[in-house]
Amino acid sequence: MGLEKLHPFDAGKWGKVINFLKEDKLIADDVIVQAREATEQDLLVVHTRRYLNRLKKHMLESFEEWSFAVAAITEIPPVLFLPNFLVQRKVLKPLRTQTGGTIMAGKLAIERGWAINVGGGFHHCSSDKGGGFCAYADITLAIKFLFERIEGVSKATIIDLDAHQGNGHERDFMEDSRVYIMDVYNRYIYPGDGFAKRAIKRKIELDWGTEDTEYLQKVKTHVEGSLNEVKSDIIIYNAGTDVLDGDPLGGLAISPQGIIERDLIVFRAARKHRIPILMVTSGGYQKRTARIIADSIVNLHNLGLIDKELVRGEAENPKVELMIREGKK
């Protein structure tokens, strides 16, 4: 619909990552796990019905009410004037499918030791409020599904390395001692949610223009510190690439190689501590981020961190398991 021209987010990023991985001969269609759209019943595990109703049209609700909610979340004002069927099909359904991918990837991570959802990471959305292009709380949902439906999963660690504070999952797990949150973000940018910061167990606030050396040292020190502090059953790694130098929203100055090294630090720590890891790709507002994500996944594969000696035992046929929303090829 051309909505991507009205927001810096590259809506085709996830499909480009998959295409790059195919070009690099890392994956083929038969090893991609297609995500299933999260149903309303799935979403109600975390979200309030009132919030979900605000995202869709009801006969008794005003045009302004449902349109304003989605327009505000996506930060695309013209969405206010679109028919609801277009909002559902072009905006919300793809986000629900990515959300379903994160939930599915959580189970895969437990079974195989790791999983990557090429998409997801909607860390600004909480149970009753969306924002920052995040309409569904996929990180919270993945953790809640694991806690409720997978035996032996009772503690989770969120490592949020997107340039923005992950205020959505922080609000959701404010009073939940089972979830340990480490968050590294630019202190000066959206959302600046002081209340949500109370949920962060290990808070690392960065200044404008932070570069590789300082950033990677802090990531390495605090990832290791977090995993030493609490023994979790799953790591949710929010691997936003909006830390990249030149990102219009992130305000940091990390190089492409710095992002690849960052991902390596996290996956090596997960392997060292023998904790399954689920990675989601979250924010990243430059065209070149898709190539960097693909290069990082290839690097993890080449170093055996997402292919061999899986944490919870060898899979019968260990392959790169990638979740991607349908229709983004």
Side-chain angles (χ1 to χ4, degrees):
M1 290 192 300
L3 292 176
E4 63 276 4
K5 297 178 182 178
L6 302 174
H7 189 280
F9 198 82
D10 179 9
K13 178 174 73 172
W14 306 287
K16 292 174 186 175
V17 173
I18 291 297
N19 288 334
F20 285 138
L21 293 174
K22 288 179 179 179
E23 291 172 7
D24 293 337
K25 309 299 183 186
L26 183 62
I27 63 170
D29 288 334
D30 63 342
V31 297
I32 299 173
V33 180
Q34 292 286 349
R36 292 188 297 271
E37 180 183 354
T39 65
E40 183 163 288
Q41 184 177 1
D42 294 333
L43 297 172
L44 285 169
V45 169
V46 165
H47 290 292
T48 64
R49 188 171 294 280
R50 179 176 180 274
Y51 172 71
L52 295 180
N53 285 345
R54 288 182 61 220
L55 300 181
K56 59 186 179 181
K57 180 181 179 181
H58 288 268
M59 293 303 294
L60 298 179
E61 291 181 343
S62 69
F63 175 88
E64 290 81 4
E65 181 175 354
W66 61 256
S67 297
F68 179 78
V70 181
I73 289 168
T74 60
E75 301 176 1
I76 304 175
V79 168
L80 180 68
F81 305 105
L82 292 177
N84 185 251
F85 77 91
L86 280 178
V87 172
Q88 292 293 327
R89 187 172 69 198
K90 296 293 187 178
V91 180
L92 293 179
K93 181 176 180 178
L95 297 179
R96 286 194 297 269
T97 306
Q98 290 188 60
T99 296
T102 303
I103 296 169
M104 292 165 64
K107 184 173 185 292
L108 265 178
I110 294 297
E111 292 175 351
R112 295 176 175 254
W114 65 273
I116 298 171
N117 181 9
V118 181
F122 304 134
H123 65 158
H124 297 308
C125 187
S126 62
S127 63
D128 61 357
K129 185 178 181 181
F133 212 80
C134 301
Y136 302 106
D138 67 318
I139 292 175
T140 304
L141 279 159
I143 292 172
K144 288 288 184 73
F145 266 80
L146 290 174
F147 282 173
E148 295 179 7
R149 305 185 186 191
I150 303 296
E151 186 178 355
V153 180
S154 60
K155 288 185 179 295
T157 290
I158 299 171
I159 298 176
D160 196 332
L161 301 187
D162 187 274
H164 300 80
Q165 176 198 353
N167 61 320
H169 57 73
E170 289 161 7
R171 283 177 170 264
D172 285 337
F173 293 117
M174 181 70 68
E175 305 296 335
D176 195 333
S177 62
R178 299 172 298 174
V179 180
Y180 182 101
I181 299 174
M182 167 184 160
D183 201 348
V184 183
Y185 55 88
N186 184 339
R187 71 176 75 217
Y188 299 110
I189 62 175
Y190 176 89
D193 190 335
F195 177 78
K197 289 180 184 180
R198 294 165 49 189
I200 305 173
K201 301 298 192 299
R202 192 171 285 255
K203 177 176 63 179
I204 303 92
E205 295 187 322
L206 304 175
D207 293 321
W208 290 108
T210 297
E211 297 181 349
D212 287 15
T213 301
E214 177 187 353
Y215 179 74
L216 293 173
Q217 184 273 323
K218 287 182 175 179
V219 167
K220 186 171 185 179
T221 297
H222 290 288
V223 166
E224 190 62 30
S226 296
L227 300 185
N228 282 331
E229 192 168 335
V230 175
K231 173 62 175 176
S232 288
D233 303 303
I234 183 73
I235 295 168
I236 311 296
Y237 172 35
N238 197 45
T241 47
D242 51 1
V243 299
L244 183 65
D245 187 20
D247 189 277
L249 300 181
L252 303 177
I254 310 306
S255 69
Q257 188 55 44
I259 291 174
I260 292 170
E261 179 64 25
R262 176 198 69 175
D263 295 348
L264 181 58
I265 288 169
V266 177
F267 272 79
R268 275 182 169 159
R271 172 66 61 83
K272 175 184 175 182
H273 290 267
R274 300 185 65 79
I275 305 173
I277 182 169
L278 158 60
M279 171 176 155
V280 289
T281 55
S282 201
Y285 307 98
Q286 298 184 72
K287 298 297 184 182
R288 57 185 178 140
T289 59
R291 179 72 263 181
I292 295 167
I293 293 168
D295 287 345
S296 182
I297 293 172
V298 170
N299 184 58
L300 294 171
H301 174 267
N302 289 343
L303 293 173
L305 290 166
I306 58 172
D307 193 60
K308 304 170 186 174
E309 301 174 7
L310 301 181
V311 175
R312 293 289 177 93
E314 290 285 359
E316 290 182 3
N317 186 19
K319 298 176 180 177
V320 178
E321 298 286 353
L322 298 161
M323 306 290 190
I324 183 171
R325 67 185 178 90
E326 295 172 350
K328 281 292 177 187
K329 296 290 182 69

